[in-house]
Amino acid sequence: MKRLGIRWKLTLWYGGVLAVVLTVFSLAVYFTLRHQLLGRIDQGLDEELADVRYEITRATDAKTLHEWLTRRFAGHEGFDFQITRPDGERFFINPRLADRELPIPPQAAQSGTAAYESVSLAAGRWRVIRVVMQGPDGPLFVQVARSLAAFDHESSELLLAFLLTGPLTLLVAVGGGYFLARRALAPVQRMTQTADDISAERLNQRLEVENAGDELGALAETLNRMIGRLEQSFAEMQRFTADAAHELRTPLAVIRNEAEVALRSPRSPAEYARVLENLLEETNRLTSLAEQLLFLSRQDAGLHENTQEPVATHELVSEVVGNMQLVAQEKGVMLVLQENQPFQLASDPRQLRRVLYNLLDNAIKYTPPPGRASVRSTITSAGWALEVADTGMGIAPEHVPHIFERFYRIDPARSANGAGAGLGLSICRAIVKSLGGQIRADSTVGKGTTFRVVLPVHEA
Ligand code: ADP
């Protein structure tokens, strides 16, 4: 079965609750009124019985009693009377009742205290009060009755009125409820339409916030914030793709150019070797770029899961520093391991190596000889701290906040020989973030730069 929409659900719930309330209310009114009416009838019967009782007690013989009763009660408007002797002989009955006697209960049920009952005769229903009392010449069974025709008529009219107005009221109220639900949910429909229209190319659109104070307004604002974040990440993605394409184009153009020039005329083996060397260098750049891009996109997509293994940081640091000695020497930069506290933590050693290689690579790359690059690995209250400092060219304060962005290079010319694409630090940041740590740079132009990585400690 197709699921009902909120509008219908609200309306049906509302209708159901209203139907129950209306039914309970109608039944309560109906039965209370009936009870009150019957009470009034019984009261009237009581008063009439008192009159009959009075006549019977003051009569001295049956004949006068019969005369008095006939005079007083035979033509009574609202009430009927029937008086019988214990042997069943009728002593008095008013003419209206003459042809339809009130049923006489068995002897045992007759008593000196008055009792009420409702009696059904062929001609309709009667309310009867009955009592046995002493007459002038023996006991008399007195019954005073009142026809319930008017009462039954009023009751059924009331019931009919409820049966007619109830469903009608319900229908009008449910119609109104549906209309109100429609009105209340109209903003949702508009939001759905706008949201439907928003595509990758139209992420600058926002949902209309009609009333920021209500639930739908809050929903629209939340969705707008979400679209804002989507717009931002989409723009970042577009920039990233454009930058990546641009970076790939340069080495590819160089390769094509070299190859075309080389092929134009015959060359000596030494010249071919030089061309091939150039091609190899560009291919290496492309490979490293492709590898960096792949790494970043895997990291973004959450495809790279960090391992959690015991890492002896002092061993890892001295291994990487040792491996970079040759690079530093070639550049004429002194690389020193200034401090290396022995420590074990649970982390991903491959990722940690990658961070340290990148930072050292930069420190050497951006430090003119005879500069110095130094590494410190210490334990602090915040966790394991790794510092890579250099006495290089430094970074101007306005660039510092951006150096961790993808493809951000302060001056492509100054790193041209190092052939960096501006991804090294963004990779460092992505790794450190995925390990739950922090990375930051402090730099003074002309004096040098210090990168500091702090990882929270999960001791192995
Ligand atoms: P690249 O591959 O170009 O080195 P990075 O992301 O590693 O890219 O660094 C971004 C930019 O930050 C570099 O272009 C460089 O200008 C600057 N930078 C990074 N490390 C240092 C450093 N140790 N000293 C001075 N500048 C640095």
Side-chain angles (χ1 to χ4, degrees):
M1 199 180 86
K2 209 173 146 230
R3 301 283 299 278
L4 284 177
I6 295 183
R7 213 178 319 159
W8 274 111
K9 266 191 210 155
L10 280 177
T11 312
L12 288 183
W13 266 104
Y14 170 64
V17 171
L18 192 68
V20 171
V21 170
L22 275 179
T23 311
V24 170
F25 171 77
S26 307
L27 288 178
V29 169
Y30 177 73
F31 284 110
T32 313
L33 277 182
R34 265 177 75 101
H35 183 75
Q36 277 182 355
L37 277 178
L38 211 58
R40 235 173 282 152
I41 290 174
D42 285 351
Q43 199 185 345
L45 288 173
D46 218 28
E47 283 163 12
E48 291 305 317
L49 181 67
D51 289 350
V52 176
R53 211 192 275 264
Y54 172 71
E55 296 299 344
I56 292 177
T57 40
R58 84 186 167 107
T60 44
D61 62 288
K63 196 166 165 293
T64 23
L65 175 62
H66 195 274
E67 266 173 33
W68 287 350
L69 289 175
T70 313
R71 199 178 318 135
R72 199 163 165 189
F73 300 112
H76 201 295
E77 279 279 296
F79 296 89
D80 297 314
F81 305 85
Q82 173 177 296
I83 299 171
T84 19
R85 290 188 190 281
D87 57 5
E89 184 207 332
R90 185 183 290 168
F91 176 73
F92 172 80
I93 189 161
N94 64 325
R96 210 177 19 208
L97 265 190
D99 50 345
R100 38 178 131 86
E101 289 168 26
L102 295 172
I104 294 169
Q107 212 81 27
Q110 304 178 7
S111 84
T113 41
Y116 301 94
E117 63 180 339
S118 297
V119 174
S120 291
L121 299 180
R125 294 190 332 123
W126 263 263
R127 183 76 173 163
V128 182
I129 187 170
R130 57 169 205 240
V131 74
V132 178
M133 59 184 295
Q134 201 51 42
D137 55 355
L140 290 172
F141 181 58
V142 182
Q143 285 169 296
V144 182
R146 186 182 177 119
S147 162
L148 285 177
F151 168 77
D152 284 342
H153 180 70
E154 271 175 44
S155 292
S156 54
E157 276 203 334
L158 188 66
L159 198 63
L160 191 71
F162 281 146
L163 285 179
L164 285 180
T165 53
L168 206 71
T169 315
L170 197 65
L171 206 71
V172 172
V174 165
Y178 182 78
F179 174 73
L180 280 181
R182 243 179 92 110
R183 268 187 67 124
L185 291 174
V188 175
Q189 197 126 20
R190 284 196 289 279
M191 271 159 68
T192 313
Q193 266 166 12
T194 321
D196 256 347
D197 284 348
I198 296 178
S199 57
E201 287 75 41
R202 297 166 72 177
L203 276 174
N204 56 345
Q205 274 199 12
R206 290 293 179 272
L207 303 175
E208 195 184 328
V209 182
E210 289 177 20
N211 178 4
D214 69 9
E215 290 83 348
L216 291 179
L219 176 65
E221 279 181 343
T222 307
L223 286 175
N224 277 344
R225 282 197 295 274
M226 191 187 82
I227 299 167
R229 287 196 297 273
L230 277 178
E231 187 184 14
Q232 203 182 343
S233 2
F234 201 73
E236 270 171 27
M237 227 166 67
Q238 276 178 329
R239 206 172 48 231
F240 181 66
T241 318
D243 286 346
H246 181 78
E247 286 300 322
L248 290 170
R249 217 169 51 180
T250 318
L252 284 174
V254 172
I255 290 174
R256 203 174 73 186
N257 203 31
E258 288 270 342
E260 275 174 1
V261 173
L263 284 173
R264 233 171 254 160
S265 50
R267 313 264 163 190
S268 69
E271 275 174 317
Y272 280 127
R274 190 197 55 79
V275 170
L276 284 177
E277 250 168 45
N278 282 350
L279 294 190
L280 197 62
E281 195 179 309
E282 290 305 322
T283 316
N284 282 342
R285 270 178 70 157
L286 271 178
T287 312
S288 122
L289 183 63
E291 201 239 308
Q292 284 183 316
L293 286 175
L294 190 66
F295 181 86
L296 276 175
S297 43
R298 286 176 69 88
Q299 198 85 18
D300 279 352
L303 293 175
H304 184 94
E305 284 233 346
N306 292 324
T307 61
Q308 281 272 326
E309 41 190 294
V311 183
T313 58
H314 50 288
E315 285 170 15
L316 185 139
V317 170
S318 45
E319 172 204 322
V320 176
V321 171
N323 289 347
M324 288 301 280
Q325 283 297 353
L326 198 65
V327 186
Q329 270 171 30
E330 276 177 3
K331 175 82 193 286
V333 172
M334 189 166 76
L335 174 57
V336 288
L337 183 48
Q338 205 175 2
E339 197 176 353
N340 194 9
Q341 283 185 15
F343 190 61
Q344 279 242 333
L345 84 158
S347 195
D348 187 333
R350 288 183 47 194
Q351 300 278 63
L352 295 182
R353 265 189 212 105
R354 197 164 185 142
V355 171
L356 186 52
Y357 272 122
N358 275 346
L359 293 178
L360 275 177
D361 186 49
N362 279 350
I364 296 166
K365 206 158 56 177
Y366 300 112
T367 303
R372 189 182 121 108
S374 57
V375 178
R376 292 179 67 214
S377 161
T378 51
I379 319 306
T380 68
S381 56
W384 176 56
L386 176 68
E387 264 178 31
V388 177
D390 63 58
T391 57
M393 54 181 75
I395 305 166
E398 68 268 25
H399 292 300
V400 175
H402 301 291
I403 51 173
F404 294 103
E405 288 169 13
R406 288 166 190 192
F407 294 110
Y408 192 84
R409 278 172 300 186
I410 295 166
D411 173 13
R414 75 174 181 177
S415 62
N417 52 343
L423 289 175
L425 286 180
S426 51
I427 286 179
C428 288
R429 186 178 62 171
I431 293 175
V432 172
K433 210 170 130 196
S434 75
L435 293 173
Q438 282 180 331
I439 182 167
R440 56 164 239 256
D442 292 301
S443 188
T444 315
V445 177
K447 285 216 162 134
T449 311
T450 302
F451 283 92
R452 187 180 162 88
V453 174
V454 179
L455 289 190
V457 171
H458 309 290
E459 273 190 64

